[in-house]
Amino acid sequence: MTKAFASAGDMADKKISFTQVGEGLYAFTAEGDPNTGVIIGDDSVMIVEAQATPRLARKVIECVRSVTDKPISHVVLTHYHAVRVLGASAYGAREIIMSDVAAAMVEERGQEDWDSEFDRFPRLFQGHEEIPGLTRPTTTFSDRMTVYLGKRRVDIMTLGRAHTAGDAVIWVPDQEVMFTGDIVEYHSACYCGDGHFNDWEDTLANIAAFEPKAIAPGRGDALVGEEMVAKAIAATADFVRSTYKPVARVVARGGSLKEAWDAVRAECDPKFKDYAIYEHCLPFNVARAFDEARGIDTPRVWTAARDKEMWNALQG
């Protein structure tokens, strides 16, 4: 009998925190579940990451309404993953923003990702019946764009491939705060199944070059203060490096996917086994690292069938 993914059995509710990371800036976090950012402007609100369902999005809205009654005008999606985007309809925003690469990935693999993640994360998709369909942007950009929420400037940009090929970050210059999506995590495993290992550290360096005073990461606690920001960026880089290098060594000697899995466990378990969603991410991370080390630059599309095929191979 095929063993279920670790996340499939995780049905316990998570404690929600709503943390101020700057003036008019907040991070909605929930013990390693996907985070959402909130940017309050002069006359409206921007949401960063929509959550997996309208049901979860309403929890974000409840927190927003505890600090402002301004309307939600914009939703920015840092990438295409279903757990990040499918709750967008709940906000009633006039603009939904993605990078053009992320928008193309919605068309290329959005439905397959939804189907796959639905099986991986049943708790996050409770209330899925309300999802109206794939979330598509109303506005896209190539390298960067700027939105003004009244006088508040918000810069949305791509700084390199990492968690996906279409990752965007959001920079609020008046507070020197960045919303990074899943490029940066805190005490949570990086999901690298659609990632680019050899680019990730350079992208982290590009984030660090802004010298953020705070970061709202993709998962884990809000990062307030330059020391905490630096620690999280360094730990994320270590996680990515510690996952990829053992796999690259196995591939170089002609080893198997199962051997790569064993090598990553030996390297990563001592350092990261207590991280949120670590056991869930590990098989996808090893499979993607194995492909990238063999020269496959574009991550293969995950489907529910491929998830099971990969898991069977890793079990030997």
Side-chain angles (χ1 to χ4, degrees):
M1 183 176 178
T2 301
K3 182 180 177 182
F5 290 113
S7 53
D10 177 11
M11 299 301 292
D13 288 338
K14 305 299 182 185
K15 180 183 176 181
I16 292 171
S17 298
F18 194 58
T19 305
Q20 188 166 10
V21 294
E23 185 179 345
L25 307 175
Y26 296 86
F28 173 100
T29 67
E31 298 184 308
D33 273 2
N35 293 343
T36 291
V38 177
I39 302 171
I40 302 174
D42 294 330
D43 47 15
S44 68
V45 177
M46 175 182 286
I47 298 293
V48 179
E49 311 288 44
Q51 295 286 322
T53 63
R55 170 182 169 271
L56 289 174
R58 286 193 290 272
K59 294 186 178 184
V60 176
I61 295 168
E62 182 178 346
C63 289
V64 172
R65 292 292 163 245
S66 74
V67 294
T68 183
D69 59 0
K70 295 173 183 176
I72 296 169
S73 57
H74 297 75
V75 172
V76 181
L77 303 171
T78 66
H79 60 287
Y80 74 96
H81 283 154
V83 293
R84 297 292 180 180
V85 307
L86 292 178
S89 62
Y91 298 97
R94 66 174 182 263
E95 286 194 57
I96 299 175
I97 301 169
M98 275 184 174
S99 74
D100 52 6
V101 174
M105 296 179 87
V106 170
E107 304 304 328
E108 176 194 40
R109 57 183 69 199
Q111 186 63 54
E112 290 83 355
D113 182 73
W114 181 357
D115 294 343
S116 177
E117 292 197 16
F118 184 85
D119 288 339
R120 299 181 199 176
F121 291 107
R123 176 174 52 80
L124 294 181
F125 285 98
Q126 292 174 359
H128 65 91
E129 300 85 0
E130 291 184 81
I131 300 170
L134 290 174
T135 298
R136 293 179 168 90
T138 61
T139 304
T140 63
F141 66 97
S142 295
D143 298 316
R144 65 184 297 150
M145 67 177 288
T146 297
V147 173
Y148 284 91
L149 301 174
K151 294 180 180 178
R152 169 160 267 180
R153 174 175 175 155
V154 181
D155 295 324
I156 308 165
M157 65 195 89
T158 57
L159 296 179
R161 303 190 303 181
H163 178 68
T164 72
D167 293 334
V169 302
I170 297 85
W171 174 245
V172 184
D174 69 81
Q175 294 292 296
E176 298 178 88
V177 171
M178 187 172 283
F179 298 79
T180 64
D182 285 310
I183 302 173
V184 178
E185 312 288 22
Y186 182 69
H187 214 75
S188 177
C190 301
Y191 174 76
C192 311
D194 300 297
H196 296 269
F197 287 94
N198 285 303
D199 294 355
W200 205 312
E201 287 193 62
D202 288 341
T203 304
L204 288 169
N206 292 336
I207 288 172
F210 281 79
E211 300 182 350
K213 291 182 178 177
I215 280 178
R219 293 177 185 264
D221 293 346
L223 309 171
V224 180
E226 294 178 43
E227 182 178 354
M228 195 173 183
V229 165
K231 286 181 178 179
I233 290 174
T236 301
D238 186 30
F239 186 96
V240 171
R241 191 185 315 118
S242 298
T243 302
Y244 184 70
K245 285 191 173 181
V247 177
R249 288 194 292 268
V250 169
V251 169
R253 61 176 171 78
S256 67
L257 182 62
K258 178 63 166 62
E259 289 173 305
W261 164 263
D262 292 339
V264 172
R265 292 221 76 125
E267 178 71 21
C268 289
D269 282 8
K271 293 191 283 187
F272 307 119
K273 65 182 178 182
D274 63 336
Y275 275 25
I277 67 167
Y278 174 71
E279 290 293 341
H280 164 75
C281 290
L282 199 64
F284 301 98
N285 294 356
V286 172
R288 171 57 193 149
F290 194 75
D291 278 356
E292 186 167 327
R294 292 183 298 146
I296 300 173
D297 183 65
T298 301
R300 291 188 286 157
V301 177
W302 288 104
T303 65
R306 186 182 168 218
D307 286 358
K308 293 172 183 176
E309 178 186 347
M310 175 269 295
W311 192 225
N312 287 335
L314 289 177
Q315 292 182 91

